PDB file of all heavy atoms in Angstrom:
ATOM      1  N   GLU A 108    -150.358-163.376 -21.488  1.00 95.00           N
ATOM      2  CA  GLU A 108    -150.342-163.000 -20.069  1.00 95.00           C
ATOM      3  C   GLU A 108    -149.940-164.178 -19.191  1.00 95.00           C
ATOM      4  O   GLU A 108    -149.252-164.010 -18.185  1.00 95.00           O
ATOM      5  CB  GLU A 108    -151.721-162.471 -19.643  1.00 95.00           C
ATOM      6  CG  GLU A 108    -152.081-161.132 -20.266  1.00 95.00           C
ATOM      7  CD  GLU A 108    -151.123-160.005 -19.848  1.00 95.00           C
ATOM      8  OE1 GLU A 108    -150.462-160.110 -18.803  1.00 95.00           O
ATOM      9  OE2 GLU A 108    -151.043-159.017 -20.596  1.00 95.00           O
ATOM     10  N   PHE A 109    -150.388-165.375 -19.567  1.00 95.00           N
ATOM     11  CA  PHE A 109    -150.066-166.569 -18.801  1.00 95.00           C
ATOM     12  C   PHE A 109    -148.558-166.834 -18.857  1.00 95.00           C
ATOM     13  O   PHE A 109    -147.926-167.144 -17.850  1.00 95.00           O
ATOM     14  CB  PHE A 109    -150.850-167.760 -19.375  1.00 95.00           C
ATOM     15  CG  PHE A 109    -150.878-168.943 -18.464  1.00 95.00           C
ATOM     16  CD1 PHE A 109    -151.655-168.946 -17.309  1.00 95.00           C
ATOM     17  CD2 PHE A 109    -150.126-170.069 -18.754  1.00 95.00           C
ATOM     18  CE1 PHE A 109    -151.675-170.038 -16.460  1.00 95.00           C
ATOM     19  CE2 PHE A 109    -150.134-171.167 -17.908  1.00 95.00           C
ATOM     20  CZ  PHE A 109    -150.915-171.157 -16.761  1.00 95.00           C
ATOM     21  N   GLN A 110    -147.980-166.636 -20.039  1.00 97.00           N
ATOM     22  CA  GLN A 110    -146.538-166.822 -20.224  1.00 97.00           C
ATOM     23  C   GLN A 110    -145.761-165.782 -19.412  1.00 97.00           C
ATOM     24  O   GLN A 110    -144.793-166.095 -18.719  1.00 97.00           O
ATOM     25  CB  GLN A 110    -146.201-166.707 -21.708  1.00 97.00           C
ATOM     26  CG  GLN A 110    -144.767-167.033 -22.019  1.00 97.00           C
ATOM     27  CD  GLN A 110    -144.430-166.800 -23.479  1.00 97.00           C
ATOM     28  OE1 GLN A 110    -145.170-166.120 -24.203  1.00 97.00           O
ATOM     29  NE2 GLN A 110    -143.339-167.359 -23.921  1.00 97.00           N
ATOM     30  N   LEU A 111    -146.208-164.521 -19.511  1.00 97.00           N
ATOM     31  CA  LEU A 111    -145.563-163.425 -18.775  1.00 97.00           C
ATOM     32  C   LEU A 111    -145.621-163.688 -17.269  1.00 97.00           C
ATOM     33  O   LEU A 111    -144.615-163.551 -16.552  1.00 97.00           O
ATOM     34  CB  LEU A 111    -146.289-162.114 -19.113  1.00 97.00           C
ATOM     35  CG  LEU A 111    -145.592-160.799 -18.824  1.00 97.00           C
ATOM     36  CD1 LEU A 111    -144.350-160.637 -19.687  1.00 97.00           C
ATOM     37  CD2 LEU A 111    -146.548-159.636 -19.086  1.00 97.00           C
ATOM     38  N   ALA A 112    -146.788-164.108 -16.794  1.00 98.00           N
ATOM     39  CA  ALA A 112    -146.958-164.381 -15.360  1.00 98.00           C
ATOM     40  C   ALA A 112    -146.046-165.526 -14.927  1.00 98.00           C
ATOM     41  O   ALA A 112    -145.414-165.470 -13.865  1.00 98.00           O
ATOM     42  CB  ALA A 112    -148.421-164.721 -15.059  1.00 98.00           C
ATOM     43  N   GLY A 113    -145.955-166.557 -15.761  1.00 98.00           N
ATOM     44  CA  GLY A 113    -145.113-167.712 -15.434  1.00 98.00           C
ATOM     45  C   GLY A 113    -143.646-167.322 -15.356  1.00 98.00           C
ATOM     46  O   GLY A 113    -142.929-167.700 -14.425  1.00 98.00           O
ATOM     47  N   MET A 114    -143.216-166.527 -16.320  1.00 98.00           N
ATOM     48  CA  MET A 114    -141.815-166.111 -16.346  1.00 98.00           C
ATOM     49  C   MET A 114    -141.524-165.171 -15.169  1.00 98.00           C
ATOM     50  O   MET A 114    -140.478-165.305 -14.507  1.00 98.00           O
ATOM     51  CB  MET A 114    -141.528-165.416 -17.683  1.00 98.00           C
ATOM     52  CG  MET A 114    -140.073-165.205 -17.954  1.00 98.00           C
ATOM     53  SD  MET A 114    -139.093-166.712 -17.823  1.00 98.00           S
ATOM     54  CE  MET A 114    -139.197-167.321 -19.491  1.00 98.00           C
ATOM     55  N   ASN A 115    -142.430-164.252 -14.893  1.00 98.00           N
ATOM     56  CA  ASN A 115    -142.218-163.344 -13.757  1.00 98.00           C
ATOM     57  C   ASN A 115    -142.183-164.114 -12.440  1.00 98.00           C
ATOM     58  O   ASN A 115    -141.435-163.773 -11.529  1.00 98.00           O
ATOM     59  CB  ASN A 115    -143.302-162.263 -13.732  1.00 98.00           C
ATOM     60  CG  ASN A 115    -143.016-161.166 -14.738  1.00 98.00           C
ATOM     61  OD1 ASN A 115    -141.861-160.852 -15.019  1.00 98.00           O
ATOM     62  ND2 ASN A 115    -144.059-160.586 -15.315  1.00 98.00           N
ATOM     63  N   ARG A 116    -142.960-165.171 -12.368  1.00 98.00           N
ATOM     64  CA  ARG A 116    -142.981-165.984 -11.147  1.00 98.00           C
ATOM     65  C   ARG A 116    -141.647-166.713 -10.973  1.00 98.00           C
ATOM     66  O   ARG A 116    -141.151-166.873  -9.866  1.00 98.00           O
ATOM     67  CB  ARG A 116    -144.140-166.971 -11.193  1.00 98.00           C
ATOM     68  CG  ARG A 116    -144.330-167.733  -9.912  1.00 98.00           C
ATOM     69  CD  ARG A 116    -145.763-168.174  -9.741  1.00 98.00           C
ATOM     70  NE  ARG A 116    -145.927-168.964  -8.545  1.00 98.00           N
ATOM     71  CZ  ARG A 116    -145.963-168.460  -7.323  1.00 98.00           C
ATOM     72  NH1 ARG A 116    -145.849-167.155  -7.136  1.00 98.00           N
ATOM     73  NH2 ARG A 116    -146.114-169.242  -6.280  1.00 98.00           N
ATOM     74  N   LYS A 117    -141.105-167.149 -12.104  1.00 98.00           N
ATOM     75  CA  LYS A 117    -139.799-167.819 -12.077  1.00 98.00           C
ATOM     76  C   LYS A 117    -138.731-166.822 -11.582  1.00 98.00           C
ATOM     77  O   LYS A 117    -137.858-167.153 -10.792  1.00 98.00           O
ATOM     78  CB  LYS A 117    -139.472-168.268 -13.502  1.00 98.00           C
ATOM     79  CG  LYS A 117    -138.392-169.239 -13.637  1.00 98.00           C
ATOM     80  CD  LYS A 117    -138.936-170.671 -13.633  1.00 98.00           C
ATOM     81  CE  LYS A 117    -137.796-171.653 -13.543  1.00 98.00           C
ATOM     82  NZ  LYS A 117    -138.117-172.805 -12.727  1.00 98.00           N
ATOM     83  N   LEU A 118    -138.831-165.584 -12.083  1.00 98.00           N
ATOM     84  CA  LEU A 118    -137.828-164.566 -11.741  1.00 98.00           C
ATOM     85  C   LEU A 118    -138.029-164.017 -10.331  1.00 98.00           C
ATOM     86  O   LEU A 118    -137.087-163.561  -9.700  1.00 98.00           O
ATOM     87  CB  LEU A 118    -137.908-163.406 -12.746  1.00 98.00           C
ATOM     88  CG  LEU A 118    -137.557-163.726 -14.208  1.00 98.00           C
ATOM     89  CD1 LEU A 118    -137.922-162.560 -15.116  1.00 98.00           C
ATOM     90  CD2 LEU A 118    -136.075-164.056 -14.342  1.00 98.00           C
ATOM     91  N   MET A 119    -139.287-164.039  -9.872  1.00 98.00           N
ATOM     92  CA  MET A 119    -139.596-163.464  -8.551  1.00 98.00           C
ATOM     93  C   MET A 119    -140.669-164.329  -7.879  1.00 98.00           C
ATOM     94  O   MET A 119    -141.849-163.970  -7.852  1.00 98.00           O
ATOM     95  CB  MET A 119    -140.092-162.015  -8.733  1.00 98.00           C
ATOM     96  CG  MET A 119    -140.267-161.244  -7.445  1.00 98.00           C
ATOM     97  SD  MET A 119    -140.914-159.572  -7.771  1.00 98.00           S
ATOM     98  CE  MET A 119    -141.162-158.997  -6.091  1.00 98.00           C
ATOM     99  N   PRO A 120    -140.249-165.477  -7.312  1.00 98.00           N
ATOM    100  CA  PRO A 120    -141.228-166.432  -6.772  1.00 98.00           C
ATOM    101  C   PRO A 120    -142.071-165.850  -5.645  1.00 98.00           C
ATOM    102  O   PRO A 120    -143.168-166.341  -5.360  1.00 98.00           O
ATOM    103  CB  PRO A 120    -140.363-167.581  -6.250  1.00 98.00           C
ATOM    104  CG  PRO A 120    -139.023-167.392  -6.857  1.00 98.00           C
ATOM    105  CD  PRO A 120    -138.870-165.947  -7.169  1.00 98.00           C
ATOM    106  N   GLU A 121    -141.559-164.815  -4.996  1.00 97.00           N
ATOM    107  CA  GLU A 121    -142.292-164.255  -3.852  1.00 97.00           C
ATOM    108  C   GLU A 121    -143.455-163.358  -4.290  1.00 97.00           C
ATOM    109  O   GLU A 121    -144.238-162.905  -3.454  1.00 97.00           O
ATOM    110  CB  GLU A 121    -141.342-163.506  -2.901  1.00 97.00           C
ATOM    111  CG  GLU A 121    -140.663-162.262  -3.480  1.00 97.00           C
ATOM    112  CD  GLU A 121    -139.360-162.546  -4.236  1.00 97.00           C
ATOM    113  OE1 GLU A 121    -139.242-163.632  -4.844  1.00 97.00           O
ATOM    114  OE2 GLU A 121    -138.483-161.669  -4.241  1.00 97.00           O
TER     115      GLU A 121
END
Side-chain angles (χ1 to χ4, degrees):
E108 291 297 338
F109 195 73
Q110 186 185 16
L111 198 65
M114 192 53 89
N115 281 328
R116 187 153 177 76
K117 195 93 189 143
L118 295 170
M119 188 182 175
E121 64 273 32

